[in-house]
Amino acid sequence: MHRFGLFVGRTLPVLVTICFIAALTSLSAPAHAGGYSAIVVDADTGRVLHAHEADTQRYPASLTKMMTLYMAFDALKDGRLKLDQRIPVSAHAAGQAPSAIGLRPGQTLIVRDAILAAVTKSANDATVALGEAIGSGSEAQFAAMMTRRAHQLGMTSTTFRNASGLPNPGQKTTARDMATLAQALLKNHKTYYTYFSTPEFEWNDKVFNNHNHLLKRYEGVDGIKTGYIRASGFNLVASAKRDGRRVIGVVFGGTSVTARDNRMIELLDTAFEKIDGSNAPVMAEKTDRNFGLISSAEAATAKPAKSKQVKPRTEAKASNGANGGAGNGEWAVQLGAFKQAAAAEKLLDRVRSKLPAAEPLVDAVDAGKVTLYRARLTGLTQTSARQACEQLKREKMTCSVVSPDA
């Protein structure tokens, strides 16, 4: 009995702890955890350019900070806060899990620095301090204020439980609601929105780089926020402006930072083609391990049933498509496949100066019910084709190498 009692005394606390952890895990990781959702909208008209499970609830993670900052901008606008005002740092705020800038209880923080820390480092301690300053010292009260304001903006599927986006089973949103929030930030707080393009933030002799890599990777991106917790995967809201037109993209559930960013680039590329009045590059759909869509490079090497010539309006020459546009054993690169020849021509015009040694070609192929126009650069060696693609990809353009026998 003595040995049995000793065994129970040592084992029971362990079993209770395991059960408690299991219960917490079941709360924090429901069936939809990490699921892929996306939406892209024309920021000027509200037109939806792409949507995939846009109304399915997901965990926002640090995208939550977009709402916290919206509330801060509201407070700045009506005079409840000032940019140079010092706000207190509570023990609760200082004790937030990283990411953090290392605030200590009893410290004070300038509002402007709290905003920049939230935007760049996605600092939970600074964000909670900012929320408490608006919510009369209570993060819970501030979260309730966030939810009410979100619903006023039309984010009817969103509930906030904290200011930072740290895991909470009750904190949920949708891709559509996050796009709505991004539009509201641009419309209602245009001046303060520029904070989202801050490349780095220096504080207390430390430099914090912005987590949004698309600020450097994609032409026209000027914000706005990344997010990650295990239950959500890698999330991103991005806004880009080109030729006077702006689009907003939302991606939930990336398997990695790179996969998330690359998917956003594909979505933004397609969106700009659509709002330019031309058809978007054709992308075949099938499930893959990242996002449920195959890459445009795979679509580029698809074999249509038959081909025909097209007479482009530019100097780009037309081929019969029989050898994939490579011709006489030469290599080529493909930039996209379109439903309109004008769209392919426009893209070739855009890149001709970058690769003057290559010959532009619009390749018309009959893919059954639709004719596709492939934008290609031909007359290249294997080495120069690969170098050309690498150069174009560095400039945020999609590209795939086409061999002579493709």
Side-chain angles (χ1 to χ4, degrees), residues 65 68-69 72 83 85 87 101 103 109-120 122-123 125-131 201 203:
K65 293 181 175 72
T68 298
L69 290 167
L83 282 173
Q85 176 182 339
I87 56 176
I101 59 172
L103 295 175
L109 183 67
I110 296 173
V111 167
R112 182 187 293 104
D113 288 345
I115 291 170
L116 290 170
V119 166
T120 58
S122 199
D125 50 359
T127 303
V128 171
L130 187 60
F201 165 57
W203 183 82

Side-chain angles (χ1 to χ4, degrees), residues 56-339:
T56 301
Q57 285 190 317
R58 307 292 189 200
Y59 292 123
S62 280
L63 300 187
T64 301
K65 293 181 175 72
M66 290 168 54
M67 192 70 218
T68 298
L69 290 167
Y70 188 97
M71 301 291 288
F73 299 156
D74 270 353
L76 288 167
K77 196 172 184 178
D78 63 24
R80 286 177 290 130
L81 279 183
K82 293 183 179 180
L83 282 173
D84 58 356
Q85 176 182 339
R86 286 195 168 273
I87 56 176
V89 177
S90 68
H92 173 67
Q96 297 296 303
S99 181
I101 59 172
L103 295 175
R104 300 186 306 275
Q107 230 178 322
T108 60
L109 183 67
I110 296 173
V111 167
R112 182 187 293 104
D113 288 345
I115 291 170
L116 290 170
V119 166
T120 58
K121 177 65 172 174
S122 199
N124 297 320
D125 50 359
T127 303
V128 171
L130 187 60
E132 288 179 337
I134 302 169
S136 301
S138 168
E139 185 183 16
Q141 181 173 324
F142 177 68
M145 294 167 63
M146 292 168 71
T147 301
R148 286 195 299 272
R149 189 73 175 103
H151 291 177
Q152 291 172 359
L153 296 174
M155 301 167 61
T156 55
S157 297
T158 296
T159 301
F160 293 109
R161 299 298 189 201
N162 59 45
S164 65
L166 284 170
N168 186 302
Q171 185 144 286
K172 297 176 182 177
T173 190
T174 66
R176 192 182 305 276
D177 278 4
M178 281 292 125
T180 298
L181 177 54
Q183 286 179 285
L185 281 160
L186 282 159
K187 179 182 178 181
N188 301 331
H189 296 302
K190 192 172 183 178
T191 301
Y192 298 120
Y193 173 81
T194 57
Y195 279 114
F196 289 107
S197 63
T198 304
E200 61 183 30
F201 165 57
E202 185 174 353
W203 183 82
N204 202 22
D205 296 326
K206 294 180 181 179
V207 176
F208 304 103
N209 293 318
N210 198 312
H211 290 177
N212 185 0
H213 302 151
L214 262 63
L215 290 170
K216 295 181 179 179
R217 283 192 62 189
Y218 194 87
E219 178 188 352
V221 166
D222 54 14
I224 62 176
K225 193 73 188 71
T226 63
Y228 170 80
I229 59 173
R230 184 177 298 178
S232 73
F234 293 86
N235 304 338
L236 175 63
V237 177
S239 179
K241 188 174 184 179
R242 289 183 179 176
D243 300 324
R245 303 299 300 272
R246 180 181 291 278
V247 298
I248 293 168
V250 181
V251 167
F252 278 86
T255 56
S256 68
V257 170
T258 301
R260 175 200 67 193
D261 291 353
N262 288 345
R263 180 60 180 145
M264 181 65 80
I265 288 171
E266 289 180 333
L267 292 174
L268 294 177
D269 279 345
T270 302
F272 278 116
E273 291 293 341
K274 284 186 177 181
I275 63 174
D276 278 344
S278 60
N279 287 297
V282 175
M283 185 180 294
E285 295 194 13
K286 71 178 184 180
T287 301
D288 76 359
R289 63 183 178 181
N290 287 330
F291 279 114
L293 290 170
I294 67 171
S295 68
S296 55
E298 291 179 77
T301 57
K303 296 181 179 179
K306 52 185 177 179
S307 61
K308 62 182 180 182
Q309 287 190 339
V310 58
K311 192 173 182 179
R313 66 166 183 260
T314 67
E315 296 176 11
K317 66 180 182 178
S319 87
N320 63 7
N323 61 2
N328 299 323
E330 296 176 337
W331 289 69
V333 295
Q334 179 159 312
L335 308 177
F338 303 81
K339 292 181 181 178

Side-chain angles (χ1 to χ4, degrees), residues 379-399:
L380 301 170
T381 64
Q382 180 178 0
T383 299
S384 64
R386 288 177 177 170
Q387 290 175 342
C389 255
E390 289 173 1
Q391 176 183 337
L392 293 171
K393 287 177 179 178
R394 284 195 297 270
E395 298 181 21
K396 294 94 177 178
M397 298 182 68
T398 57
C399 179

